[in-house]
Amino acid sequence: MNILIIGSGGREHAFAWKISQSPKVGQLYIAPGNAGTARYGTNIEVGVTDFPAIRNIVLEKKISMVVVGPEVPLVEGIHDYFLADKLLKSIPVIGPASEGARLEGSKDFAKQFMFRHGIPTARYFSVTKDNLEQGISFLQGLKAPYVLKADGLAAGKGVLIIDDLDEAARSVREMLGGMFGQASETVVIEEFLSGIECSVFVITDGNKYKILPVAKDYKRIGEGDTGLNTGGMGAISPVPFADEIYMKKVEERIIIPTVQGLKSDGIEYKGFIFFGLISVQSEPFVIEYNVRMGDPETEAVILRIKSDLVDLFEGVANGNLAERELVIDTDAAVAVMLVAGGYPGDYQKGAVISDLDKISGSILFHAGTKILGEDVVTNGGRVLAVCSKGKNFKEALELSYLNASKIQYKDKFCRSDLGFDL
Ligand code: AMP
Ligand code: GLY
């Protein structure tokens, strides 16, 4: 069958690499893709929310399955668009329709969902201009630091963690006043939870689910988890503290109630659920839901999945996921992200990347690259994920760091302390 992957980052390169290994795949297309995905399929220059253009590709290229990488097209209803179209409705889309995608698209919706289904998460209050007074008194009843979240999608920037109460109250007003545009017309005020985070992924056909390898990502730009938040500076899988006992709690208290909750709320959900978890004295709480795989977690996680991903996707589409096999490698895998100098602030694109062919023993997933004439050049803040396996994460990291040092481009940067906290 012909498959179309939507997206252009390291996650989508990792998908392309894995999907291209499946004997079930004929032609693979990636829209829009990057210099790395071009090695495993055909890139097609189209925006991820240009649904009519995607429709044309699907019909023209005789696509039989669409795998959606990023959240924006899901929240904007790509799956619904397919279901509403006579010619597209029988073509499976891996990723939820917009109602299910609200788990990521609206923090308030996600919070209500969790409270309704008894899923452990921080206490909260959702505030708009209409109940500002109550919101401020909820805030005053919390202990510092204060967590403020834009309700809607804000490209990973919509969360503020503030130590001072007055500043937090001011920020609530500024957020409601449009700090994140429409996304912060509602603000979720949350109790701060202190602990260590990890990312748990499941794939579900809306009925049954399978748990994919757990990972930890490193979001801050600076060593020791300091400085600004980024899209992710690297990932490690598995996560030592997410042991069997912890994962049993996660499954019983979080995964099962979520899958059951979607079902009992009448939300048909086919795709990935990403649980951003925090462990508070070994008890798991949900920090956030995402309705897609993580990036850069995918680049590490995918190296540990031995089974045919397309077979699992067929299980999702056909509603018989339980009959499919998921075999996970016991080895560790890591992704070390090489970024552009200045990222996550201003940075330049278009730097020529050299010595990609000097890599050995690692696999490179391109995040922000493109082909320019004869060259591969940088085309984003996150440029390349250098991914490796090893008996444990330290061994895998050593290999990734060695290979990362060989790649050359102007102002290359990576964090050199991944795993410091494990
Ligand atoms: P989110 O976009 O909801 O994942 O939030 C971004 C980051 O803010 C998370 O990865 C956490 O590190 C932090 N965070 C969010 N909510 C909380 C909370 N209730 N307590 C502590 N940290 C939080
Ligand atoms: N790595 C976190 C995310 O994909 O949102």
Side-chain angles (χ1 to χ4, degrees), residues 19 24 26 54 64 80 114 117 146 162 182 236 267 286 374 381 383 391 402 419:
I19 287 172
K24 295 172 185 262
I54 291 170
S64 321
D80 314 62
M114 286 185 265
H117 298 292
Y146 306 94
I162 297 173
Q182 271 195 349
I236 289 176
I267 300 174
V286 178
E374 302 273 281
V383 178
K391 292 219 158 36
L402 176 69

Side-chain angles (χ1 to χ4, degrees), residues 70-71 74-75 100-107 109-110 151-153 288-292:
E71 65 277 14
L74 294 168
V75 171
R102 291 180 75 198
L103 282 182
E104 177 164 2
S106 166
K107 304 258 188 211
F109 176 88
D151 174 55
L153 292 185
E288 65 166 350
Y289 284 114
N290 295 305
V291 298
R292 51 170 174 85

Side-chain angles (χ1 to χ4, degrees), residues 107 111 121-123 145 147-149 156-161 190-195 197 217 219-220 229 276-278 286-290:
K107 304 258 188 211
K111 280 292 190 183
T121 187
R123 283 194 302 131
V147 182
L148 310 178
K149 299 185 175 182
K157 299 196 168 65
V159 177
L160 304 182
I161 297 180
E190 254 183 52
E191 172 187 37
F192 180 84
L193 298 176
S194 182
E197 291 175 61
D217 82 339
K219 290 200 176 93
R220 304 293 198 92
N229 257 323
L277 303 181
I278 193 161
V286 178
I287 288 281
E288 65 166 350
Y289 284 114
N290 295 305

Side-chain angles (χ1 to χ4, degrees), residues 123-235:
R123 283 194 302 131
Y124 80 109
F125 187 88
S126 290
V127 56
T128 63
K129 279 183 175 149
D130 298 331
N131 62 358
L132 183 57
E133 301 278 288
Q134 282 165 279
I136 299 297
S137 41
F138 178 79
L139 188 68
Q140 285 162 344
L142 296 175
K143 281 200 220 116
Y146 306 94
V147 182
L148 310 178
K149 299 185 175 182
D151 174 55
L153 292 185
K157 299 196 168 65
V159 177
L160 304 182
I161 297 180
I162 297 173
D163 287 319
D164 180 72
L165 178 60
D166 292 334
E167 192 191 332
R170 218 166 27 246
S171 297
V172 170
R173 291 192 173 86
E174 283 170 19
M175 287 174 85
L176 293 174
M179 189 193 286
F180 298 103
Q182 271 195 349
S184 60
E185 273 175 9
T186 299
V187 172
V188 174
I189 302 172
E190 254 183 52
E191 172 187 37
F192 180 84
L193 298 176
S194 182
I196 184 161
E197 291 175 61
C198 70
S199 307
V200 168
F201 304 98
V202 310
I203 185 165
T204 178
D205 59 8
N207 198 18
K208 298 290 196 234
Y209 61 86
K210 290 196 188 287
I211 305 176
L212 303 174
V214 55
K216 178 158 203 321
D217 82 339
Y218 291 82
K219 290 200 176 93
R220 304 293 198 92
I221 187 72
E223 314 274 297
D225 283 342
T226 55
L228 292 174
N229 257 323
T230 70
M233 297 297 291

